[in-house]
Amino acid sequence: MTDEAALLKAIVANPDEDTPRLVYADWLDENAPDATPSPAAGPSARAEFVRVQCRLAAGAFDAPDYPELLERQLDLADWLSAHAPPPNEPLFGTDGDTRIRVGEWDECRRGFNEVYCFDDYGESAGETLGALVAALDDAFRRTPGRSLVLDGATTEEVERFAAHRAFRHLRGLYLDYLDDGDEDPAVAAIAGSPHAAGLRRLYLDLMIGEAGCRALAESRHLGNLEALVIDFPISARSLKAFHGVKWFRNLRRLHLWSGWGGRSDVVRALADFPPMPRLVSLTLDGLGNVSAAAVRKLVASEAFPKLAHLELSGNGLQQDVVAALARAKWPLRHLALEQGTARRAGCEALAGAAFAPTLRVLSLRESGVTAGGVQALAEAKSLAGLRHLDLSGNPIGPGGLAAVAASKTLTGLRALNLGRTNHARGPIAARHVVEFLSSLAAPDLRHLNLSALPVAVRGARVLATAPGFANLTRLQLESCALGSAGTAALAESKTLTNLTHLDLYGNKVGSGAGKLANPKVFPRLGYCRLGHGVPGKTAWRLTRRPGVTL
């Protein structure tokens, strides 16, 4: 057995441990350096990917380099997808996709394939159970993955699987849609199974009633659970079943959907919970009608003393709600307020929040932020530590672009998303984009999204030549009116040599994309999606390069 085979065998034998994975990463650096230029800081991109994912899986929100870890994960995944797919043998349910998907419930976690999708359902529950157990036994023998997605199973199939010994090996379970629609008994079977003691992550995309929630709350087997997602409307009455439950209080991540209309009583119920001392991440979706009073009660509670990552979404996030949220004393590092109406008043409140100095990632996607709101953020000295800013889908207008470019506070940004910010309320012309790109001072910028803005040829030339964009690794320019000339300007760039991800979809790239077929152009490229109008022979040459799609 080779050294690498022995190391991989140790990882499979100890799937819960990071140490064998990190030992393998060290071995890769010493014995298997990348054969072509990669985005890795060290010899091996896969080694760095393993280390980065292990840190993110552990919840590295407080780490000084947390934003950089998010960037590195994406960049390395893009490059590895094209140049060095995972060493795992093909798994059932992976549909032949070779791209590495990253995220809490995507295929790759802690450096290896983690999530299996089962769809080989039989004519009976017994037949399905036999196929599932055989597939899992094989997968567990060959790989360290321990998470399963079941989509379209019946209640009986879930009940029988939860009672089977194979269930004890799972660390993650994603249950999505039951074929017979009888959710509560299926959830009760999971909660009542002694084999559920191994679960660390549970995702329930089901309409769970009070009986299902009570069964979960009364479970004696979920003491090791760290992350819970209930991605279907949950009532305040059902949520109260978890009040004071020991395993629930020990969660590190909680994701709830308050349902269509997002009632305030769900938020109030959360505020009444006793302290959850380990919870670092909270996501509440569907906040349609939440009141400022309910949010004030939530931020005044002592339920989440260590909250570092907060995501809220829904059109109920009005200015007064955002202002109420800004009173929170949580040690936030990552805040996402999306699909609301923050406007200028909400942005001013966030800039004055006690947690503003600790924020490293801020997303206000589709939140009604106009030029005044952007200016409030750009002028706030309290946000000098911000490294990622997402303003996509907001009508920021030319004034918003100018405010970002002129900011003395946002010069430390590493990721900036301004995609889809060209609205009729504040139309942005090509000259505004050129002025923005010519004056932006963010020397550490790695990720830039300008999708649906009129970058055009002149803007492309600025991107291709300005020294301030030399560190870019990810450039998204979907539907930016680049044309063949703009595409050629980018392809001829001597500055953008660090790009791993280039998205030009929606542009008539024409023959201007021809030079991208040369692997010496953007040598670290792992993902390149091109637009239309490419001549036949050029298209053939382009698709032979790993990672390039038309």
Side-chain angles (χ1 to χ4, degrees):
M1 181 181 295
T2 65
D3 289 346
E4 182 175 20
L7 291 169
L8 290 172
K9 184 177 181 180
I11 292 171
V12 172
N14 301 277
D16 297 333
E17 302 297 325
D18 282 347
T19 300
R21 299 174 191 239
L22 298 176
V23 170
Y24 178 58
D26 291 341
W27 182 90
L28 288 171
D29 271 341
E30 295 173 4
N31 299 277
D34 299 325
T36 58
S38 82
S44 167
R46 179 160 301 284
E48 185 173 336
F49 185 65
V50 170
R51 296 186 187 106
V52 165
Q53 283 216 308
C54 284
R55 290 188 61 194
L56 286 173
F61 299 112
D62 289 337
D65 59 345
Y66 167 66
E68 185 177 354
L69 292 175
L70 297 177
E71 302 157 21
R72 303 298 291 159
Q73 177 178 230
L74 291 174
D75 294 344
L76 292 163
D78 279 335
W79 189 87
L80 289 168
S81 294
H83 300 282
N88 302 24
E89 299 174 49
L91 303 174
F92 68 89
T94 56
D95 66 23
D97 188 358
T98 58
R99 286 199 57 72
I100 296 175
R101 312 290 178 179
V102 295
E104 184 66 15
W105 279 97
D106 283 304
E107 286 89 343
C108 204
R109 196 168 189 267
R110 296 165 62 224
F112 290 82
N113 285 346
E114 168 67 20
V115 180
Y116 311 145
C117 301
F118 178 79
D119 58 7
D120 189 17
Y121 296 101
E123 295 296 324
S124 67
E127 185 179 338
T128 296
L129 180 65
L132 175 57
V133 170
L136 286 177
D137 283 346
D138 179 58
F140 293 161
R141 176 180 56 80
R142 295 186 292 106
T143 77
R146 293 296 183 271
S147 295
L148 174 68
V149 174
L150 285 179
D151 184 356
T154 66
T155 299
E156 184 182 358
E157 287 167 346
V158 174
E159 290 174 336
R160 295 185 66 168
F161 177 49
H164 196 278
R165 58 176 177 76
F167 193 83
R168 75 180 188 272
H169 296 294
L170 289 185
R171 297 299 176 262
L173 176 62
Y174 188 130
L175 198 55
D176 184 7
Y177 172 70
L178 291 184
D179 193 49
D180 51 7
D182 204 1
E183 288 89 354
D184 284 353
V187 172
I190 294 169
S193 172
H195 302 313
L199 286 179
R200 304 293 189 272
R201 303 179 301 138
L202 180 59
Y203 194 122
L204 299 172
D205 194 356
L206 304 170
M207 180 67 82
I208 307 173
E210 291 182 33
C213 287
R214 281 198 305 272
L216 282 175
E218 294 169 1
S219 173
R220 295 177 298 167
H221 311 297
L222 297 177
N224 290 314
L225 202 65
E226 296 183 346
L228 174 65
V229 181
I230 300 179
D231 197 12
F232 227 88
I234 184 171
S235 68
R237 185 168 178 174
S238 295
L239 182 60
K240 288 177 182 177
F242 299 103
H243 189 282
V245 173
K246 184 176 180 180
W247 70 258
F248 191 87
R249 290 187 62 194
N250 285 330
L251 290 175
R252 288 180 53 79
R253 299 172 184 257
L254 177 62
H255 182 157
L256 301 174
W257 186 27
S258 59
W260 301 286
R263 301 175 302 276
S264 293
D265 57 352
V266 172
V267 177
R268 291 194 183 96
L270 269 180
D272 288 332
F273 273 53
M276 300 178 69
R278 300 182 70 239
L279 196 80
V280 293
S281 175
L282 175 64
T283 299
L284 299 177
D285 288 333
L287 297 175
N289 294 312
V290 66
S291 68
V295 173
R296 281 195 293 271
K297 182 176 181 179
L298 182 68
V299 302
S301 76
E302 298 180 356
F304 316 117
K306 294 185 178 180
L307 194 63
H309 173 258
L310 177 63
E311 292 193 25
L312 306 177
S313 69
N315 56 22
L317 297 174
Q318 304 293 321
Q319 300 172 66
D320 59 339
V321 172
V322 177
L325 179 68
R327 300 180 182 180
K329 306 299 183 183
W330 301 317
L332 291 180
R333 301 293 188 273
H334 186 145
L335 175 63
L337 304 177
E338 301 180 344
Q339 300 173 352
T341 313
R343 300 189 186 278
R344 176 166 189 143
C347 292
E348 289 175 342
L350 291 175
F355 55 73
T358 67
L359 274 186
R360 297 296 175 264
V361 179
L362 176 61
S363 175
L364 296 173
R365 182 173 59 88
E366 298 177 8
S367 293
V369 177
T370 57
V374 178
Q375 186 174 5
L377 299 173
E379 294 177 351
K381 294 181 180 179
S382 59
L383 294 174
L386 208 59
R387 295 296 176 261
H388 290 186
L389 178 61
D390 186 345
L391 295 172
S392 61
N394 291 290
I396 67 173
L401 286 181
V404 173
S407 175
K408 298 294 190 291
T409 296
L410 302 178
T411 55
L413 285 180
R414 298 177 60 93
L416 177 61
N417 189 344
L418 298 175
R420 298 176 292 106
T421 53
N422 195 3
H423 287 240
R425 292 170 54 188
I428 296 172
R431 63 182 177 85
H432 298 132
V433 178
V434 171
E435 292 168 0
F436 165 74
L437 293 172
S438 300
S439 56
L440 181 65
D444 293 328
L445 198 64
R446 264 55 173 186
H447 292 184
L448 178 62
N449 188 336
L450 300 175
S451 294
L453 291 182
V455 175
V457 178
R458 290 179 59 205
R461 288 173 178 159
V462 176
L463 284 167
T465 58
F469 298 114
N471 289 319
L472 282 183
T473 59
R474 190 178 188 90
L475 181 58
Q476 294 172 263
L477 298 173
E478 298 177 43
S479 303
C480 287
L482 297 179
S484 179
T487 305
L490 292 172
E492 293 168 359
S493 174
K494 305 298 186 210
T495 302
L496 301 173
T497 56
N498 291 310
L499 282 185
T500 62
H501 182 113
L502 177 62
D503 196 341
L504 303 181
Y505 183 78
N507 295 284
K508 189 175 181 180
V509 298
S511 59
K515 291 190 176 181
L516 293 173
N518 185 347
K520 293 182 179 179
V521 175
F522 306 149
R524 294 169 178 79
L525 202 61
Y527 176 90
C528 181
R529 187 170 67 150
L530 298 174
H532 54 283
V534 181
K537 289 185 178 180
T538 302
W540 179 78
R541 288 192 299 111
L542 284 166
T543 54
R544 295 187 67 189
R545 182 174 181 181
V548 176
T549 60
L550 298 176

